[in-house]
Amino acid sequence: MPRSITWSAALLGTVLVTGCSSSSPSDTPPQAHAVTPSVSPPAASSGAPSAPETETDADAGADSDTDAEASAEPSPVISHMGKTKVVTLGDVEVRATRSAIGFTVACNYLNSRSQTLNIKVTVSIGDGKEWVRRTKFDFPHLAAGQTGRGSTTVMGDFPEGESPDDPKIYIDSVIEY
């Protein structure tokens, strides 16, 4: 029992010191309400120690509050529609289709709230190694129940000459302003 209390105290101390997110600081203005994404680029991971991978029955009861808090964020769902890669995270859907000059990136945001929102979505697309491009989508005055749609072409000088067949797509931020 003392060992599980020690691990629980260490985990609580780590969370209090480092915070709950491993993402890098955002360029969000202090007055904006930001929704923390659960998908972030690999470079944004921190060196904070993690909890042990195994747990005993005594540990399971102590960590139930932490597990409930962590599972409150939606998990990304990755799928493919032909040659299009689709990433869905909560109310955001991002689609990337390879083209001759880069990628056509489309973003849809469903306003599932009961009020009109102004939403900015920042998306990164890359090859998982060195090529990364970021694009932003703005959905002002999005009425309740409506879907905002935006599309753009992301171009770039690819390190190996061609765009990747299976790009890495990250929903960096969803900001309500």
Side-chain angles (χ1 to χ4, degrees):
M1 185 69 171
R3 185 174 185 187
S4 65
I5 292 171
T6 304
W7 279 111
S8 297
L11 178 62
L12 178 61
T14 301
V15 169
L16 290 174
V17 170
T18 63
C20 295
S21 175
S22 64
S23 61
S24 62
S26 147
D27 58 344
T28 306
Q31 70 276 11
H33 172 71
V35 177
T36 306
S38 62
V39 177
S40 60
S45 63
S46 69
S50 60
E53 292 182 20
T54 60
E55 68 178 32
T56 63
D57 291 335
D59 291 338
D63 291 337
S64 64
D65 292 334
T66 305
D67 292 341
E69 190 176 308
S71 65
E73 286 187 19
S75 296
V77 176
I78 300 172
S79 60
H80 290 83
M81 293 174 51
K83 294 183 178 186
T84 300
K85 185 170 188 175
V86 181
V87 176
T88 305
L89 179 65
D91 293 332
V92 180
E93 177 186 76
V94 177
R95 298 175 185 220
T97 306
R98 185 176 173 186
S99 68
I101 58 173
F103 289 93
T104 299
V105 180
C107 179
N108 299 326
Y109 182 87
L110 170 65
N111 181 358
S112 59
R113 297 189 101 200
S114 60
Q115 62 192 30
T116 299
L117 297 176
N118 297 314
I119 300 293
K120 283 190 182 187
V121 178
T122 304
V123 176
S124 293
I125 184 167
D127 63 1
K129 299 172 192 164
E130 57 186 312
W131 179 83
V132 176
R133 294 294 184 264
R134 180 169 286 142
T135 187
K136 295 180 181 185
F137 297 92
D138 191 12
F139 305 110
H141 309 293
L142 189 59
Q146 297 297 310
T147 300
R149 295 177 185 356
S151 178
T152 188
T153 299
V154 177
M155 298 181 285
D157 296 324
F158 302 105
E160 297 175 12
E162 286 191 30
S163 58
D165 289 327
D166 188 22
K168 307 297 182 207
I169 301 170
Y170 304 101
I171 299 172
D172 297 325
S173 66
V174 178
I175 301 171
E176 179 182 320
Y177 66 98

